[in-house]
């Protein structure tokens, strides 16, 4: 793995200047105009021994800097600071992964989102995503959220409780409301201003079957078919389920596009538990706020697509039966409050009737996304570490050995079996078997 960072000394100094300026705003203090910085050294530091990301290298950038300033009484002062940033770099030294990234279009998109879109939205309503100090040349440099008390809220099973989901729902409402306010102020839709930032790359329309995204989808559906075969519950209806599985799941492709019927907003597109970082108080485990990370799949779509994904992937069928309606109502209330701050009425953009209509239409997407994400993301670490550490392993993980690996996890790992069974049963019962029963009446 490369250990050098493609930033010039001047750019490193610029990061430090931005950092101290950002800190002064966050702490409501004044940054001295005559602040003098002298970068002593800087280096990249691994976050952990295990692979940190399928689609990029995650490392800390540590900078030792001497800070000189002059106080109001004219005295000079010198301090030494160690600053730590979080960096995300494209794996340029691994050809197979770079080919995948370029065909997928994720890294270039994320750079545009952090450089051009999120700064505009966070000027309206802050607190959606981490501060990004640099976004260019296959590299992103962020504030280090862990130093601010942020961490992931889910364990190995990928589940979030009510408090965490309520916190995330509020942040999602913040981002979606900012999108609407931005368009009102600009008089132009976001997809017209920043088309590359919201081009659909997770489920592109009119997709060639050889495209990497369609291959990923087809490979996932193949896995689900094999897992369903392991469920005695469906033994008598197995042929029917398997013959309809791919067709039913394929609805994600048209539904992921910008809607011609419903209100669209700038959307995250990738809201599973690991992409939400929560900040906690000094006492207890209750989150006080959160930030979204990884905007590689950003899109311009009805807000329900983000919302139902957020509320489905990190939750169980039982949890949703108890709390889904309540959390949907919370989102609508939060969004209305944010828009009201800008003298806007939510019903002028998203009426209650449209909101609940989109829930009925897009709920299936939450389950499809849950299956497609989770059959990979909650695999036991021992089955993925060796695969993602090498070039051949990466290809095997996403293609050739996917069924074999997932079947092994399903038959040997209790967490994996319970979570995938829960998701697949919800999908099959409600969108293959139930729909068929309704059509037959």
């Amino acid at each position: 793995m490369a250990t050098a960072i493609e930033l010039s000394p001047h750019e490193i100094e610029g990061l430090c200047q931005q950092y101290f300026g950002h800190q002064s705003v966050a702490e409501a203090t004044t940054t001295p105009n005559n602040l003098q910085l002298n970068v002593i050294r800087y280096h990249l530091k691994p976050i952990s021994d295990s692979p940190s990301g399928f689609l990029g290298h995650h490392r800390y950038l540590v900078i030792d800097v001497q800070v000189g300033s002059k106080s109001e009484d004219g005295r000079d002062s010198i301090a030494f600071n160690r600053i730590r940033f979080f960096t995300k770099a494209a794996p340029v030294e691994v050809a197979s992964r770079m080919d995948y990234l370029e065909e997928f279009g994720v890294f270039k998109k994320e750079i545009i989102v952090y450089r051009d879109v999120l700064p505009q939205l966070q000027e309206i309503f802050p607190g959606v995503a981490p501060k990004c100090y640099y976004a260019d040349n296959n590299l992103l440099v962020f504030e280090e959220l862990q130093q601010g008390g942020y961490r992931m809220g889910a364990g190995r099973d990928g589940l979030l409780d009510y408090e965490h989901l309520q916190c995330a729902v509020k942040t999602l409402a913040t981002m979606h409301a900012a999108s609407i306010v931005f368009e009102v102020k600009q008089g132009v839709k976001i997809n017209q201003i920043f088309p590359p930032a919201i081009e659909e790359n997770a489920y592109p329309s009119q997709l060639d079957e050889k495209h990497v995204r369609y291959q990923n989808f087809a490979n996932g559906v193949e896995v689900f078919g094999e897992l369903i075969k392991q469920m005695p519950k469906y033994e008598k209806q197995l042929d029917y389920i398997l013959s309809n599985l791919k067709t039913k799941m394929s609805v994600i492709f048209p539904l992921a596009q910008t809607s011609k019927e419903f209100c669209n907003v700038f959307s995250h597109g990738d809201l599973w538990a690991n992409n939400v970082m929560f900040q906690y108080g000094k006492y207890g485990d209750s989150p006080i706020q959160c930030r979204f990370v990884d905007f590689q799949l950003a899109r311009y779509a009805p807000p329900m697509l983000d919302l139902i994904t957020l509320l489905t992937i990190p939750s169980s069928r039982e949890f949703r039966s108890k709390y889904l309606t309540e959390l949907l109502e919370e989102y609508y209330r939060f969004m209305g409050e944010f828009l009201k701050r800008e003298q806007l009425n939510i019903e002028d953009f998203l009426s209650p009737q449209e909101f609940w209509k989109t829930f009925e239409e897009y709920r299936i997407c939450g389950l499809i996304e849950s299956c497609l994400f989770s059959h990979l993301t909650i695999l036991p670490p021992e089955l993925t570490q060796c695969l993602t550490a090498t070039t051949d392993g990466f290809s095997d993980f996403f293609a050739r050995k996917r069924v074999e690996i997932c079947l092994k996890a399903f038959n040997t790992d209790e967490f994996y079996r319970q979570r995938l069974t829960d998701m697949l049963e919800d999908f099959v019962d409600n969108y293959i078997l139930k729909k068929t029963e309704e059509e037959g009446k």
Side-chain angles (χ1 to χ4, degrees):
M1 181 181 292
T3 56
I5 186 164
E6 299 297 325
L7 289 175
S8 68
H10 178 71
E11 288 171 322
I12 292 290
E13 184 176 318
L15 291 178
C16 296
Q17 292 280 5
Q18 286 189 68
Y19 172 82
F20 285 108
H22 178 60
Q23 288 297 104
S24 67
V25 172
E27 298 170 6
T29 58
T30 303
T31 303
N33 293 326
N34 60 343
L35 195 68
Q36 295 181 334
L37 302 179
N38 177 29
V39 175
I40 301 170
R41 66 181 69 86
Y42 56 91
H43 66 279
L44 288 173
K45 178 182 177 182
I47 292 176
S48 67
D49 294 331
S50 60
S52 55
F54 295 143
L55 304 181
H57 297 317
H58 299 168
R59 288 168 287 191
Y60 294 128
L61 169 61
V62 182
I63 305 175
D64 291 326
V65 58
Q66 176 183 296
V67 184
S69 62
K70 190 179 292 290
S71 62
E72 292 182 359
D73 60 5
R75 294 182 180 181
D76 293 328
S77 65
I78 296 177
F80 292 90
N81 291 71
R82 171 163 286 185
I83 309 171
R84 192 172 78 180
F85 298 97
F86 179 89
T87 73
K88 184 176 182 180
V92 293
E93 75 282 6
V94 185
S96 63
R97 295 197 193 186
M98 282 305 295
D99 290 344
Y100 180 88
L101 286 174
E102 288 174 1
E103 187 175 0
F104 198 172
V106 290
F107 216 90
K108 289 181 180 178
K109 169 185 273 192
E110 190 166 30
I111 285 173
I112 295 170
V113 168
Y114 274 108
R115 186 187 64 207
D116 301 335
V117 183
L118 286 173
Q120 303 267 14
L121 299 186
Q122 295 202 107
E123 274 192 20
I124 298 169
F125 297 130
V128 169
K131 166 72 175 175
C132 183
Y133 292 98
Y134 183 90
D136 207 353
N137 300 323
N138 288 323
L139 177 68
L140 291 157
V141 180
F142 302 101
E143 65 174 307
E144 212 288 271
L145 288 175
Q146 285 190 348
Q147 293 186 140
Y150 288 85
R151 66 177 188 268
M152 295 176 188
R156 160 72 209 289
D157 58 8
L159 295 173
L160 296 172
D161 63 18
Y162 185 93
E163 283 187 306
H164 285 82
L165 283 171
Q166 184 185 43
C167 181
V169 160
K170 185 175 183 179
T171 300
L172 186 62
T174 304
M175 184 178 76
H176 289 170
S179 173
I180 291 174
V181 173
F182 176 79
E183 291 185 342
V184 170
K185 290 183 175 182
Q186 296 294 320
V188 184
K189 299 295 185 183
I190 281 180
N191 61 334
Q192 296 175 286
I193 304 175
F194 306 112
I198 50 79
E199 181 180 356
E200 181 56 41
N201 59 337
Y203 305 103
S205 60
Q206 300 177 335
L207 201 60
D208 187 284
E209 290 190 2
K210 294 181 180 179
H211 191 282
V212 63
R213 286 306 295 166
Y214 188 83
Q215 290 177 355
N216 272 346
F217 171 78
N219 290 338
V221 173
E222 183 182 1
V223 169
F224 307 146
E226 293 301 317
L227 298 186
I228 290 169
K229 290 177 184 178
Q230 308 297 309
M231 301 178 189
K233 173 181 179 178
Y234 298 122
E235 185 177 355
K236 293 182 179 180
Q237 299 159 301
L238 186 60
D239 289 343
Y240 179 81
I241 293 170
L242 296 180
S243 65
N244 283 275
L245 183 62
K246 191 172 185 179
T247 300
K248 294 293 185 180
M249 286 200 155
S250 294
V251 301
I252 189 74
F253 286 91
L255 288 176
Q257 310 307 313
T258 299
S259 176
K260 295 180 180 179
E261 179 182 0
F262 304 120
C263 167
N264 297 288
V265 294
F266 174 79
S267 302
H268 184 282
D270 194 9
L271 286 172
W272 62 294
N274 283 20
N275 284 344
V276 187
M277 299 286 286
F278 295 92
Q279 186 184 51
Y280 300 84
K282 292 183 179 180
Y283 309 103
D285 293 324
S286 296
I288 55 178
Q289 60 180 334
C290 69
R291 298 287 184 270
F292 296 149
V293 299
D294 284 359
F295 284 80
Q296 297 173 325
L297 304 181
R299 57 167 62 102
Y300 189 63
M304 184 57 70
L305 188 52
D306 258 356
L307 180 57
I308 199 62
T309 301
L310 173 64
L311 294 178
T312 304
I313 294 180
S315 70
S316 67
R317 188 177 187 178
E318 180 183 10
F319 177 93
R320 292 190 295 275
S321 69
K322 294 179 181 178
Y323 302 114
L324 180 58
T325 299
E326 185 177 331
L327 286 165
L328 290 168
E329 291 171 344
E330 283 280 272
Y331 167 89
Y332 194 79
R333 179 177 66 82
F334 284 137
M335 194 174 180
E337 289 175 356
F338 284 117
L339 290 174
K340 192 174 181 180
R341 294 181 190 180
E342 296 292 324
Q343 290 75 51
L344 297 175
N345 185 343
I346 187 173
E347 294 195 24
D348 293 335
F349 305 92
L350 182 64
S351 68
Q353 294 78 13
E354 179 176 324
F355 180 73
W356 292 108
K357 185 178 180 181
T358 57
F359 167 66
E360 293 299 327
E361 186 162 335
Y362 286 86
R363 181 176 180 265
I364 189 174
C365 296
L367 289 170
I368 296 170
E369 289 277 63
S370 189
C371 293
L372 289 170
F373 275 90
S374 300
H375 84 282
L376 297 177
T377 59
I378 62 174
L379 279 166
E382 61 270 18
L383 289 180
T384 60
Q385 285 180 0
C386 61
L387 293 172
T388 55
T390 66
T391 301
D392 290 340
F394 180 82
S395 300
D396 286 342
F397 183 74
F398 280 97
R400 294 187 291 271
K401 293 185 178 179
R402 188 186 300 208
V403 171
E404 175 188 332
I405 294 164
C406 293
L407 270 175
K408 183 176 181 180
F410 191 82
N411 290 317
T412 61
D413 187 86
E414 184 67 19
F415 267 138
Y416 191 83
R417 181 167 57 255
Q418 287 181 354
R419 293 286 289 120
L420 266 295
T421 297
D422 185 74
M423 298 170 203
L424 288 168
E425 285 187 349
D426 199 355
F427 183 80
V428 171
D429 292 349
N430 286 290
Y431 291 98
I432 297 181
L433 299 182
K434 185 177 179 180
K435 292 295 182 183
T436 304
E437 292 171 3
E438 292 174 352
E439 290 166 2
K441 291 181 180 179

